[in-house]
Amino acid sequence: GPRILGPGIEFTGFRGKVFKSPEGIFPAEEIYALVQKKRNTEWRYVDYENDGDLDILVGIDDWGEYGWDNAFDKNGNWTNGPLHGYVILIENVDGEYKIRGKLEAGGEPVDVYGTPSPNMYDFDGDGDLDLLLGCNDGVVRVSRNIGTRTKPAFAAAVPLRARDVLKPYLR
């Protein structure tokens, strides 16, 4: 059935209790410490390295350089830094969750505009899990797994195109 996560928690028995039975799965504060200024996180279970247990991906935004929407000069130039969005891997190691750090794609930490909504799916049908990322700019990106199902490694994220999604249905 569905597994509903919030910051550091899982809502168990969701069908009968909706959001009434949260259980702690990981201290969210440990994730927040990895960025300057957080506004939002998105938590997902995934068997990241195909070892049969559930790991956690956390999409987290970082507004530390961006500030807020009032940083334009009199000429309309943006004067603050970018809005960042990272994906953190929390690995299940023998039943204990351990932070493994920011996921990388193309040799650099995944960094999209705002909160990534990380999801993993075998997008290209080659048997391993690719990384799909939604974010605040409305663009869905895909990072293809160029590693293996048990040792993922990701190519740089590229925007997902409609023809990529429709390819199996086109002749």
Side-chain angles (χ1 to χ4, degrees):
R3 309 284 298 263
I4 310 299
L5 303 183
I9 57 175
E10 178 179 0
F11 294 97
T12 58
F14 182 78
R15 288 184 192 258
K17 302 176 189 172
V18 190
F19 292 109
K20 295 180 181 168
S21 297
E23 289 187 18
I25 55 174
F26 191 83
E29 296 77 24
E30 290 185 33
I31 298 300
Y32 304 160
L34 300 175
V35 298
Q36 294 177 45
K37 184 178 180 183
K38 167 259 351 135
R39 286 187 62 205
N40 189 39
T41 59
E42 293 194 20
W43 296 62
R44 305 275 190 274
Y45 279 133
V46 64
D47 185 358
Y48 182 78
E49 72 285 58
N50 200 32
D51 62 357
D53 60 22
L54 290 177
D55 307 297
I56 302 170
L57 292 182
V58 179
I60 187 167
D61 58 10
D62 187 347
W63 292 70
E65 292 180 47
Y66 184 85
W68 198 239
D69 292 335
N70 57 354
F72 291 97
D73 66 18
K74 66 181 180 176
N75 297 317
N77 299 308
W78 184 252
T79 60
N80 281 356
L83 174 58
H84 297 283
Y86 305 111
V87 179
I88 310 298
L89 172 63
I90 306 172
E91 185 181 2
N92 184 336
V93 180
D94 299 323
E96 183 179 341
Y97 284 116
K98 298 181 182 216
I99 296 176
R100 295 300 188 213
K102 294 176 182 173
L103 283 189
E104 292 190 357
E108 300 287 330
V110 168
D111 187 2
V112 297
Y113 186 79
T115 310
S117 180
N119 292 281
M120 295 191 74
Y121 177 75
D122 185 10
F123 182 76
D124 53 13
D126 64 357
D128 56 29
L129 297 180
D130 305 300
L131 182 62
L132 297 171
L133 302 161
C135 58
N136 291 30
D137 62 4
V139 176
V140 176
R141 293 168 175 81
V142 61
S143 290
R144 296 190 191 278
N145 185 347
I146 55 175
T148 66
R149 180 63 184 95
T150 57
K151 293 187 189 281
F154 301 99
V158 296
L160 186 62
R161 301 171 304 188
R163 70 175 165 238
D164 294 332
V165 175
L166 298 173
K167 191 175 184 178
Y169 305 103
L170 301 175
R171 294 181 186 207

